[in-house]
């Protein structure tokens, strides 16, 4: 239950940034669930889906055209978040739900945060990543604790949460390697 706290060892292979999904794993869910359980799952999936849209948009707008290690890592993170977005979109439709109509607002926030941090430079990009991902890990933990998920959906959420934890570690180690003041010769 105490999963997801930053610093714990994830039980998932976070080097797999786009896990395989087989056709037989897609199934319609939620039949005979009590309405309160369905309501909780719907709210949780919509929150995760919109937040993952924001996450992938932040990374997308942080990437520059420079051929650098940092950009490679940002592309990998963007790919990872696109997979998370897909995960929750699939789950929404498996349950017969629909995405939030307000998700465009999260795209806008993602654009603002992503582009804004890119303009401010590498340290701002890394600090933004750490801040956003820490919020995400915390939010994931709350949703895992408070919602009665089906086992398969729970596993997906746990893997995605472990990915977010991995992002925090990566950005922290990158930040430690960056000079305190922009000192590019
Ligand atoms: Fe994510
Ligand atoms: Fe992430």
């Amino acid at each position: 239950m105490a999963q997801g706290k930053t610093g714990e060892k994830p039980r998932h292979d976070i080097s797999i940034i786009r896990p395989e999904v087989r056709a037989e794993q897609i199934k319609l869910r939620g039949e005979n669930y009590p309405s309160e359980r369905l309501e909780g799952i719907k709210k949780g999936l919509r929150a995760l889906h919109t937040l993952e849209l924001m996450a992938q948009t932040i990374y997308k707008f942080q990437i520059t055209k420079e051929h650098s290690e940092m950009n490679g890592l940002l592309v990998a993170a963007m790919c990872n978040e696109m997979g998370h977005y897909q995960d929750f979109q699939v789950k929404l439709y498996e349950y017969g739900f629909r995405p939030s109509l307000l998700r465009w607002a999260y795209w806008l926030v993602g654009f603002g945060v992503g582009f804004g941090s890119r303009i401010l430079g590498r340290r701002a990009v890394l600090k933004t990543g750490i801040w956003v991902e820490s919020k995400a890990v915390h939010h994931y933990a709350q949703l895992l604790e408070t919602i009665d998920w089906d086992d398969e959906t729970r596993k997906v959420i746990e893997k995605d949460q472990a990915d977010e934890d991995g992002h925090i570690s990566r950005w922290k180690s990158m930040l430690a390697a960056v000079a305190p003041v922009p000192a590019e010769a």
Side-chain angles (χ1 to χ4, degrees):
M1 272 317 221
Q3 292 148 344
K5 298 237 170 84
T6 310
E8 269 184 18
K9 282 263 179 291
R11 293 167 298 145
H12 302 271
D13 184 352
I14 60 167
S15 67
I16 299 173
I17 57 172
R18 195 165 63 177
E20 180 184 69
V21 178
R22 292 182 170 271
E24 59 268 24
Q25 289 173 264
I26 304 292
K27 47 175 105 146
L28 300 183
R29 298 168 196 277
E31 211 181 9
N32 304 323
Y33 280 24
S35 58
E36 319 83 72
R37 185 178 185 192
L38 283 174
E39 203 46 44
I41 293 172
K42 178 159 82 176
K43 276 193 190 149
L45 287 176
R46 280 187 169 173
L48 289 163
H49 184 247
T50 46
L51 289 170
E52 294 299 346
L53 175 62
M54 183 175 76
Q56 64 169 283
T57 309
I58 290 174
Y59 287 130
K60 192 198 290 183
F61 285 100
Q62 284 181 331
I63 300 163
T64 67
K65 289 184 178 171
E66 187 194 358
H67 278 244
S68 62
E69 184 197 1
M70 172 94 167
N71 277 328
L73 293 172
L74 286 170
V75 172
M78 178 185 70
C79 172
N80 204 192
E81 307 298 1
M82 289 168 81
H84 296 173
Y85 183 69
Q86 238 184 32
D87 287 339
F88 299 123
Q89 185 157 324
V90 167
K91 294 291 171 216
L92 278 167
Y93 282 87
E94 284 180 339
Y95 270 101
F97 306 144
R98 295 293 179 267
S100 165
L101 290 174
L102 294 174
R103 66 193 185 282
W104 58 270
Y106 288 76
W107 186 95
L108 275 183
V109 173
F111 165 74
V113 171
F115 193 69
S117 56
R118 180 173 93 187
I119 286 172
L120 292 172
R122 184 170 293 207
R123 284 179 65 79
V125 164
L126 292 167
K127 283 183 171 178
T128 300
I130 294 164
W131 182 75
V132 170
E133 297 285 6
S134 303
K135 293 259 175 221
V137 167
H138 181 70
H139 202 163
Y140 266 74
Q142 269 183 339
L143 296 174
L144 280 167
E145 268 171 38
T146 56
I147 294 172
D148 189 8
W149 300 102
D150 66 274
D151 289 345
E152 287 158 335
T153 302
R154 178 173 288 276
K155 278 191 191 115
V156 168
I157 298 170
E158 286 173 353
K159 158 71 166 108
D160 292 359
Q161 185 192 36
D163 290 336
E164 315 303 14
D165 238 343
H167 292 154
I168 296 173
S169 315
R170 190 163 316 132
W171 305 142
K172 277 188 175 168
S173 57
M174 291 287 286
L175 188 62
V178 171
V181 216
E184 282 156 33

